[in-house]
Amino acid sequence: MAKKKIVDTTKPKDKMLRGNLVHPIQKMCFGFSHVTENNNYGLKGFSGSDKKAEAYEDLLYKLKDWGGINVSDARMRGKKLGLERIPYTQLSRPMQSICDRTNIVSKDSTVCVFQFYNHQYRLICKEDINHSNLMHIIAFDLKFSAYDHG
C-alpha cells in the first residue's frame, strides 16, 4: 500500500500569492508616478505664493476624502465634489502632449478631473485599466488652461 502524501494547508503557497491573485481595490487610490515635470502643470506649480501653499494643503485633504470613496460614489457626487470625465480630444494641446508622454492615455480615452481649493483648481488623472479605483495623477491645472471649462 502506497503512503499518502501529507500536505500542510496552514501555510500559504508562494505561487498563489505572487502575482496570480489580484484583489480588487475597494476605494480610490492615487498614484504619483505619472505626474508631469512640466512647470505649468506639475508639482512645482504649487510653489511661489501663500495661495498655492493653501491649495496644496487643500489638495492633500481632498485626496484623503476621495480616498474614502470609490469611483462610482465620486461620479454620483458630480463634478464639483466628485469627478468629471473629459475626453482626450477636449484637452488643450499642451495637456494632450503631457498625456501622450505618460503612455497611459490614448487619443480615444477620457481623463478624470477632480476640483479642489474652492473649485479654482483641477487634479487631472487617468483611471488604471485594470483597477477603476486606481487613479494615476497626470497634472494639476492651476491656471484653467488644461481644457475648455465652458
Side-chain angles (χ1 to χ4, degrees):
M1 186 170 181
K3 286 187 174 183
K4 203 174 188 184
K5 185 176 178 183
I6 299 173
V7 178
D8 183 359
T9 59
T10 61
K11 294 181 183 176
K13 300 205 183 303
D14 285 345
K15 290 180 183 176
M16 261 183 74
L17 296 176
R18 292 192 184 156
N20 294 336
L21 201 56
V22 178
H23 297 286
I25 299 171
Q26 300 297 323
K27 302 195 188 246
M28 281 193 290
C29 299
F30 294 87
F32 288 80
S33 63
H34 293 284
V35 175
T36 183
E37 295 294 323
N38 181 298
N39 288 339
N40 293 324
Y41 294 104
L43 288 167
K44 290 181 183 176
F46 287 102
S47 62
S49 74
D50 289 342
K51 179 181 177 183
K52 298 279 177 80
E54 288 174 13
Y56 185 74
E57 185 177 353
D58 183 66
L59 173 63
L60 294 178
Y61 282 108
K62 291 285 198 250
L63 287 171
K64 183 177 186 278
D65 176 51
W66 296 322
I69 62 173
N70 61 35
V71 170
S72 297
D73 292 339
R75 274 188 248 151
M76 288 188 334
R77 285 184 175 187
K79 69 181 189 178
K80 294 251 185 209
L81 301 174
L83 72 84
E84 172 184 21
R85 293 184 190 278
I86 304 290
Y88 172 92
T89 55
Q90 291 181 12
L91 297 174
S92 66
R93 293 273 183 227
M95 184 52 63
Q96 286 179 352
S97 177
I98 288 167
C99 287
D100 292 344
R101 281 186 238 125
T102 67
N103 294 320
I104 60 170
V105 181
S106 62
K107 293 180 183 354
D108 64 345
S109 66
T110 61
V111 294
C112 296
V113 177
F114 297 85
Q115 297 183 17
F116 64 101
Y117 197 59
N118 296 317
H119 313 292
Q120 294 178 39
Y121 300 141
R122 307 294 190 266
L123 170 66
I124 299 170
C125 304
K126 177 66 176 128
E127 277 179 270
D128 187 86
I129 60 172
N130 295 315
H131 303 282
S132 64
N133 284 319
L134 175 57
M135 297 288 170
H136 297 283
I137 298 173
I138 297 170
F140 308 95
D141 184 9
L142 307 179
K143 298 179 180 177
F144 279 161
S145 60
Y147 61 95
D148 182 8
H149 294 265

PDB file of all heavy atoms in Angstrom, residues 96-121:
ATOM      1  N   GLN A  96      -2.635  67.586 -23.951  1.00  0.00           N
ATOM      2  CA  GLN A  96      -2.577  66.367 -24.763  1.00  0.00           C
ATOM      3  C   GLN A  96      -1.134  65.872 -24.876  1.00  0.00           C
ATOM      4  O   GLN A  96      -0.875  64.673 -24.768  1.00  0.00           O
ATOM      5  CB  GLN A  96      -3.154  66.612 -26.153  1.00  0.00           C
ATOM      6  CG  GLN A  96      -4.649  66.732 -26.186  1.00  0.00           C
ATOM      7  CD  GLN A  96      -5.196  67.002 -27.590  1.00  0.00           C
ATOM      8  OE1 GLN A  96      -4.443  67.251 -28.535  1.00  0.00           O
ATOM      9  NE2 GLN A  96      -6.510  66.963 -27.715  1.00  0.00           N
ATOM     10  N   SER A  97      -0.216  66.788 -25.073  1.00  0.00           N
ATOM     11  CA  SER A  97       1.198  66.430 -25.176  1.00  0.00           C
ATOM     12  C   SER A  97       1.699  65.792 -23.883  1.00  0.00           C
ATOM     13  O   SER A  97       2.431  64.798 -23.904  1.00  0.00           O
ATOM     14  CB  SER A  97       2.014  67.683 -25.513  1.00  0.00           C
ATOM     15  OG  SER A  97       3.372  67.390 -25.562  1.00  0.00           O
ATOM     16  N   ILE A  98       1.291  66.351 -22.749  1.00  0.00           N
ATOM     17  CA  ILE A  98       1.664  65.786 -21.451  1.00  0.00           C
ATOM     18  C   ILE A  98       1.077  64.384 -21.307  1.00  0.00           C
ATOM     19  O   ILE A  98       1.762  63.444 -20.883  1.00  0.00           O
ATOM     20  CB  ILE A  98       1.198  66.711 -20.301  1.00  0.00           C
ATOM     21  CG1 ILE A  98       2.067  67.969 -20.277  1.00  0.00           C
ATOM     22  CG2 ILE A  98       1.220  65.988 -18.964  1.00  0.00           C
ATOM     23  CD1 ILE A  98       1.532  69.084 -19.399  1.00  0.00           C
ATOM     24  N   CYS A  99      -0.183  64.222 -21.666  1.00  0.00           N
ATOM     25  CA  CYS A  99      -0.834  62.910 -21.578  1.00  0.00           C
ATOM     26  C   CYS A  99      -0.157  61.897 -22.499  1.00  0.00           C
ATOM     27  O   CYS A  99       0.020  60.735 -22.114  1.00  0.00           O
ATOM     28  CB  CYS A  99      -2.315  63.030 -21.926  1.00  0.00           C
ATOM     29  SG  CYS A  99      -3.295  63.834 -20.654  1.00  0.00           S
ATOM     30  N   ASP A 100       0.230  62.328 -23.693  1.00  0.00           N
ATOM     31  CA  ASP A 100       0.890  61.427 -24.645  1.00  0.00           C
ATOM     32  C   ASP A 100       2.187  60.859 -24.074  1.00  0.00           C
ATOM     33  O   ASP A 100       2.531  59.703 -24.307  1.00  0.00           O
ATOM     34  CB  ASP A 100       1.183  62.141 -25.958  1.00  0.00           C
ATOM     35  CG  ASP A 100      -0.074  62.489 -26.745  1.00  0.00           C
ATOM     36  OD1 ASP A 100      -1.151  61.927 -26.444  1.00  0.00           O
ATOM     37  OD2 ASP A 100       0.011  63.347 -27.650  1.00  0.00           O
ATOM     38  N   ARG A 101       2.916  61.678 -23.329  1.00  0.00           N
ATOM     39  CA  ARG A 101       4.195  61.242 -22.759  1.00  0.00           C
ATOM     40  C   ARG A 101       4.036  60.217 -21.645  1.00  0.00           C
ATOM     41  O   ARG A 101       4.994  59.539 -21.301  1.00  0.00           O
ATOM     42  CB  ARG A 101       4.997  62.444 -22.264  1.00  0.00           C
ATOM     43  CG  ARG A 101       5.672  63.161 -23.411  1.00  0.00           C
ATOM     44  CD  ARG A 101       6.588  64.276 -22.934  1.00  0.00           C
ATOM     45  NE  ARG A 101       6.077  65.495 -23.569  1.00  0.00           N
ATOM     46  CZ  ARG A 101       5.731  66.599 -22.924  1.00  0.00           C
ATOM     47  NH1 ARG A 101       5.866  66.694 -21.636  1.00  0.00           N
ATOM     48  NH2 ARG A 101       5.259  67.617 -23.583  1.00  0.00           N
ATOM     49  N   THR A 102       2.854  60.081 -21.085  1.00  0.00           N
ATOM     50  CA  THR A 102       2.649  59.124 -19.990  1.00  0.00           C
ATOM     51  C   THR A 102       2.534  57.694 -20.491  1.00  0.00           C
ATOM     52  O   THR A 102       2.757  56.754 -19.728  1.00  0.00           O
ATOM     53  CB  THR A 102       1.370  59.438 -19.195  1.00  0.00           C
ATOM     54  OG1 THR A 102       0.229  59.207 -20.036  1.00  0.00           O
ATOM     55  CG2 THR A 102       1.376  60.834 -18.639  1.00  0.00           C
ATOM     56  N   ASN A 103       2.123  57.516 -21.726  1.00  0.00           N
ATOM     57  CA  ASN A 103       1.866  56.196 -22.308  1.00  0.00           C
ATOM     58  C   ASN A 103       0.720  55.450 -21.631  1.00  0.00           C
ATOM     59  O   ASN A 103       0.607  54.240 -21.753  1.00  0.00           O
ATOM     60  CB  ASN A 103       3.127  55.325 -22.313  1.00  0.00           C
ATOM     61  CG  ASN A 103       4.193  55.877 -23.219  1.00  0.00           C
ATOM     62  OD1 ASN A 103       3.903  56.364 -24.312  1.00  0.00           O
ATOM     63  ND2 ASN A 103       5.433  55.846 -22.768  1.00  0.00           N
ATOM     64  N   ILE A 104      -0.134  56.166 -20.903  1.00  0.00           N
ATOM     65  CA  ILE A 104      -1.309  55.518 -20.303  1.00  0.00           C
ATOM     66  C   ILE A 104      -2.606  56.159 -20.793  1.00  0.00           C
ATOM     67  O   ILE A 104      -3.678  55.680 -20.485  1.00  0.00           O
ATOM     68  CB  ILE A 104      -1.269  55.543 -18.750  1.00  0.00           C
ATOM     69  CG1 ILE A 104      -1.238  56.966 -18.208  1.00  0.00           C
ATOM     70  CG2 ILE A 104      -0.122  54.708 -18.231  1.00  0.00           C
ATOM     71  CD1 ILE A 104      -1.448  57.067 -16.699  1.00  0.00           C
ATOM     72  N   VAL A 105      -2.496  57.248 -21.546  1.00  0.00           N
ATOM     73  CA  VAL A 105      -3.678  57.933 -22.076  1.00  0.00           C
ATOM     74  C   VAL A 105      -3.653  57.806 -23.596  1.00  0.00           C
ATOM     75  O   VAL A 105      -2.689  58.204 -24.237  1.00  0.00           O
ATOM     76  CB  VAL A 105      -3.694  59.427 -21.675  1.00  0.00           C
ATOM     77  CG1 VAL A 105      -4.936  60.118 -22.223  1.00  0.00           C
ATOM     78  CG2 VAL A 105      -3.624  59.590 -20.164  1.00  0.00           C
ATOM     79  N   SER A 106      -4.724  57.243 -24.144  1.00  0.00           N
ATOM     80  CA  SER A 106      -4.825  57.133 -25.596  1.00  0.00           C
ATOM     81  C   SER A 106      -5.734  58.244 -26.129  1.00  0.00           C
ATOM     82  O   SER A 106      -6.467  58.870 -25.374  1.00  0.00           O
ATOM     83  CB  SER A 106      -5.371  55.764 -25.993  1.00  0.00           C
ATOM     84  OG  SER A 106      -6.671  55.599 -25.475  1.00  0.00           O
ATOM     85  N   LYS A 107      -5.661  58.469 -27.415  1.00  0.00           N
ATOM     86  CA  LYS A 107      -6.420  59.552 -28.034  1.00  0.00           C
ATOM     87  C   LYS A 107      -7.937  59.323 -27.989  1.00  0.00           C
ATOM     88  O   LYS A 107      -8.705  60.259 -28.146  1.00  0.00           O
ATOM     89  CB  LYS A 107      -5.950  59.756 -29.467  1.00  0.00           C
ATOM     90  CG  LYS A 107      -4.521  60.275 -29.539  1.00  0.00           C
ATOM     91  CD  LYS A 107      -4.065  60.464 -30.963  1.00  0.00           C
ATOM     92  CE  LYS A 107      -2.646  60.914 -31.135  1.00  0.00           C
ATOM     93  NZ  LYS A 107      -1.840  61.262 -30.045  1.00  0.00           N
ATOM     94  N   ASP A 108      -8.369  58.094 -27.742  1.00  0.00           N
ATOM     95  CA  ASP A 108      -9.803  57.808 -27.673  1.00  0.00           C
ATOM     96  C   ASP A 108     -10.291  57.600 -26.227  1.00  0.00           C
ATOM     97  O   ASP A 108     -11.394  57.123 -26.005  1.00  0.00           O
ATOM     98  CB  ASP A 108     -10.153  56.596 -28.532  1.00  0.00           C
ATOM     99  CG  ASP A 108      -9.497  55.315 -28.054  1.00  0.00           C
ATOM    100  OD1 ASP A 108      -8.561  55.388 -27.234  1.00  0.00           O
ATOM    101  OD2 ASP A 108      -9.923  54.236 -28.508  1.00  0.00           O
ATOM    102  N   SER A 109      -9.473  57.974 -25.261  1.00  0.00           N
ATOM    103  CA  SER A 109      -9.856  57.761 -23.861  1.00  0.00           C
ATOM    104  C   SER A 109     -10.288  59.059 -23.184  1.00  0.00           C
ATOM    105  O   SER A 109     -10.310  60.112 -23.803  1.00  0.00           O
ATOM    106  CB  SER A 109      -8.695  57.119 -23.088  1.00  0.00           C
ATOM    107  OG  SER A 109      -7.601  58.006 -23.008  1.00  0.00           O
ATOM    108  N   THR A 110     -10.622  58.949 -21.923  1.00  0.00           N
ATOM    109  CA  THR A 110     -11.000  60.109 -21.126  1.00  0.00           C
ATOM    110  C   THR A 110     -10.055  60.227 -19.939  1.00  0.00           C
ATOM    111  O   THR A 110      -9.410  59.244 -19.546  1.00  0.00           O
ATOM    112  CB  THR A 110     -12.442  59.995 -20.591  1.00  0.00           C
ATOM    113  OG1 THR A 110     -12.530  58.844 -19.766  1.00  0.00           O
ATOM    114  CG2 THR A 110     -13.445  59.921 -21.716  1.00  0.00           C
ATOM    115  N   VAL A 111      -9.988  61.415 -19.375  1.00  0.00           N
ATOM    116  CA  VAL A 111      -9.270  61.621 -18.121  1.00  0.00           C
ATOM    117  C   VAL A 111     -10.312  61.984 -17.067  1.00  0.00           C
ATOM    118  O   VAL A 111     -11.405  62.442 -17.391  1.00  0.00           O
ATOM    119  CB  VAL A 111      -8.188  62.715 -18.231  1.00  0.00           C
ATOM    120  CG1 VAL A 111      -7.069  62.286 -19.165  1.00  0.00           C
ATOM    121  CG2 VAL A 111      -8.761  64.046 -18.644  1.00  0.00           C
ATOM    122  N   CYS A 112      -9.954  61.756 -15.826  1.00  0.00           N
ATOM    123  CA  CYS A 112     -10.826  62.111 -14.707  1.00  0.00           C
ATOM    124  C   CYS A 112     -10.325  63.407 -14.099  1.00  0.00           C
ATOM    125  O   CYS A 112      -9.129  63.577 -13.887  1.00  0.00           O
ATOM    126  CB  CYS A 112     -10.824  61.007 -13.656  1.00  0.00           C
ATOM    127  SG  CYS A 112     -11.504  59.458 -14.249  1.00  0.00           S
ATOM    128  N   VAL A 113     -11.247  64.316 -13.834  1.00  0.00           N
ATOM    129  CA  VAL A 113     -10.894  65.616 -13.287  1.00  0.00           C
ATOM    130  C   VAL A 113     -11.581  65.791 -11.941  1.00  0.00           C
ATOM    131  O   VAL A 113     -12.784  65.570 -11.815  1.00  0.00           O
ATOM    132  CB  VAL A 113     -11.308  66.746 -14.261  1.00  0.00           C
ATOM    133  CG1 VAL A 113     -11.003  68.102 -13.671  1.00  0.00           C
ATOM    134  CG2 VAL A 113     -10.624  66.575 -15.613  1.00  0.00           C
ATOM    135  N   PHE A 114     -10.799  66.178 -10.947  1.00  0.00           N
ATOM    136  CA  PHE A 114     -11.288  66.451  -9.598  1.00  0.00           C
ATOM    137  C   PHE A 114     -11.018  67.922  -9.288  1.00  0.00           C
ATOM    138  O   PHE A 114      -9.933  68.418  -9.553  1.00  0.00           O
ATOM    139  CB  PHE A 114     -10.552  65.592  -8.565  1.00  0.00           C
ATOM    140  CG  PHE A 114     -10.746  64.114  -8.732  1.00  0.00           C
ATOM    141  CD1 PHE A 114      -9.949  63.394  -9.602  1.00  0.00           C
ATOM    142  CD2 PHE A 114     -11.713  63.444  -8.000  1.00  0.00           C
ATOM    143  CE1 PHE A 114     -10.111  62.018  -9.743  1.00  0.00           C
ATOM    144  CE2 PHE A 114     -11.877  62.080  -8.129  1.00  0.00           C
ATOM    145  CZ  PHE A 114     -11.083  61.370  -9.009  1.00  0.00           C
ATOM    146  N   GLN A 115     -11.996  68.595  -8.716  1.00  0.00           N
ATOM    147  CA  GLN A 115     -11.832  70.001  -8.350  1.00  0.00           C
ATOM    148  C   GLN A 115     -11.373  70.113  -6.903  1.00  0.00           C
ATOM    149  O   GLN A 115     -11.772  69.329  -6.056  1.00  0.00           O
ATOM    150  CB  GLN A 115     -13.149  70.757  -8.521  1.00  0.00           C
ATOM    151  CG  GLN A 115     -13.647  70.790  -9.943  1.00  0.00           C
ATOM    152  CD  GLN A 115     -14.917  71.608 -10.103  1.00  0.00           C
ATOM    153  OE1 GLN A 115     -15.279  72.412  -9.250  1.00  0.00           O
ATOM    154  NE2 GLN A 115     -15.591  71.411 -11.220  1.00  0.00           N
ATOM    155  N   PHE A 116     -10.527  71.125  -6.646  1.00  0.00           N
ATOM    156  CA  PHE A 116     -10.104  71.388  -5.271  1.00  0.00           C
ATOM    157  C   PHE A 116      -9.849  72.877  -5.099  1.00  0.00           C
ATOM    158  O   PHE A 116      -9.907  73.642  -6.052  1.00  0.00           O
ATOM    159  CB  PHE A 116      -8.864  70.554  -4.883  1.00  0.00           C
ATOM    160  CG  PHE A 116      -7.607  70.848  -5.656  1.00  0.00           C
ATOM    161  CD1 PHE A 116      -6.613  71.646  -5.103  1.00  0.00           C
ATOM    162  CD2 PHE A 116      -7.395  70.316  -6.910  1.00  0.00           C
ATOM    163  CE1 PHE A 116      -5.442  71.915  -5.795  1.00  0.00           C
ATOM    164  CE2 PHE A 116      -6.234  70.576  -7.619  1.00  0.00           C
ATOM    165  CZ  PHE A 116      -5.256  71.380  -7.058  1.00  0.00           C
ATOM    166  N   TYR A 117      -9.611  73.283  -3.874  1.00  0.00           N
ATOM    167  CA  TYR A 117      -9.373  74.673  -3.477  1.00  0.00           C
ATOM    168  C   TYR A 117     -10.515  75.577  -3.953  1.00  0.00           C
ATOM    169  O   TYR A 117     -10.354  76.420  -4.822  1.00  0.00           O
ATOM    170  CB  TYR A 117      -8.017  75.184  -3.970  1.00  0.00           C
ATOM    171  CG  TYR A 117      -7.556  76.432  -3.250  1.00  0.00           C
ATOM    172  CD1 TYR A 117      -7.373  76.437  -1.880  1.00  0.00           C
ATOM    173  CD2 TYR A 117      -7.332  77.600  -3.957  1.00  0.00           C
ATOM    174  CE1 TYR A 117      -6.959  77.582  -1.224  1.00  0.00           C
ATOM    175  CE2 TYR A 117      -6.918  78.753  -3.302  1.00  0.00           C
ATOM    176  CZ  TYR A 117      -6.737  78.737  -1.933  1.00  0.00           C
ATOM    177  OH  TYR A 117      -6.338  79.875  -1.275  1.00  0.00           O
ATOM    178  N   ASN A 118     -11.684  75.353  -3.387  1.00  0.00           N
ATOM    179  CA  ASN A 118     -12.900  76.121  -3.710  1.00  0.00           C
ATOM    180  C   ASN A 118     -13.220  76.108  -5.206  1.00  0.00           C
ATOM    181  O   ASN A 118     -13.637  77.120  -5.768  1.00  0.00           O
ATOM    182  CB  ASN A 118     -12.779  77.556  -3.199  1.00  0.00           C
ATOM    183  CG  ASN A 118     -12.683  77.618  -1.706  1.00  0.00           C
ATOM    184  OD1 ASN A 118     -13.414  76.918  -1.009  1.00  0.00           O
ATOM    185  ND2 ASN A 118     -11.779  78.427  -1.198  1.00  0.00           N
ATOM    186  N   HIS A 119     -12.984  74.979  -5.824  1.00  0.00           N
ATOM    187  CA  HIS A 119     -13.293  74.758  -7.249  1.00  0.00           C
ATOM    188  C   HIS A 119     -12.440  75.611  -8.183  1.00  0.00           C
ATOM    189  O   HIS A 119     -12.763  75.738  -9.363  1.00  0.00           O
ATOM    190  CB  HIS A 119     -14.784  74.977  -7.539  1.00  0.00           C
ATOM    191  CG  HIS A 119     -15.672  74.301  -6.555  1.00  0.00           C
ATOM    192  ND1 HIS A 119     -15.782  72.936  -6.457  1.00  0.00           N
ATOM    193  CD2 HIS A 119     -16.468  74.807  -5.579  1.00  0.00           C
ATOM    194  CE1 HIS A 119     -16.614  72.632  -5.478  1.00  0.00           C
ATOM    195  NE2 HIS A 119     -17.036  73.743  -4.921  1.00  0.00           N
ATOM    196  N   GLN A 120     -11.335  76.167  -7.686  1.00  0.00           N
ATOM    197  CA  GLN A 120     -10.472  77.005  -8.518  1.00  0.00           C
ATOM    198  C   GLN A 120      -9.462  76.186  -9.315  1.00  0.00           C
ATOM    199  O   GLN A 120      -9.023  76.616 -10.375  1.00  0.00           O
ATOM    200  CB  GLN A 120      -9.714  78.011  -7.646  1.00  0.00           C
ATOM    201  CG  GLN A 120     -10.609  79.031  -6.977  1.00  0.00           C
ATOM    202  CD  GLN A 120      -9.811  79.974  -6.096  1.00  0.00           C
ATOM    203  OE1 GLN A 120      -8.703  80.371  -6.452  1.00  0.00           O
ATOM    204  NE2 GLN A 120     -10.352  80.321  -4.949  1.00  0.00           N
ATOM    205  N   TYR A 121      -9.055  75.023  -8.793  1.00  0.00           N
ATOM    206  CA  TYR A 121      -8.006  74.222  -9.424  1.00  0.00           C
ATOM    207  C   TYR A 121      -8.517  72.821  -9.733  1.00  0.00           C
ATOM    208  O   TYR A 121      -9.524  72.379  -9.179  1.00  0.00           O
ATOM    209  CB  TYR A 121      -6.781  74.140  -8.515  1.00  0.00           C
ATOM    210  CG  TYR A 121      -6.163  75.477  -8.193  1.00  0.00           C
ATOM    211  CD1 TYR A 121      -5.675  75.742  -6.926  1.00  0.00           C
ATOM    212  CD2 TYR A 121      -6.063  76.492  -9.153  1.00  0.00           C
ATOM    213  CE1 TYR A 121      -5.093  76.957  -6.613  1.00  0.00           C
ATOM    214  CE2 TYR A 121      -5.490  77.713  -8.848  1.00  0.00           C
ATOM    215  CZ  TYR A 121      -5.006  77.941  -7.579  1.00  0.00           C
ATOM    216  OH  TYR A 121      -4.435  79.142  -7.271  1.00  0.00           O
TER     217      TYR A 121
END
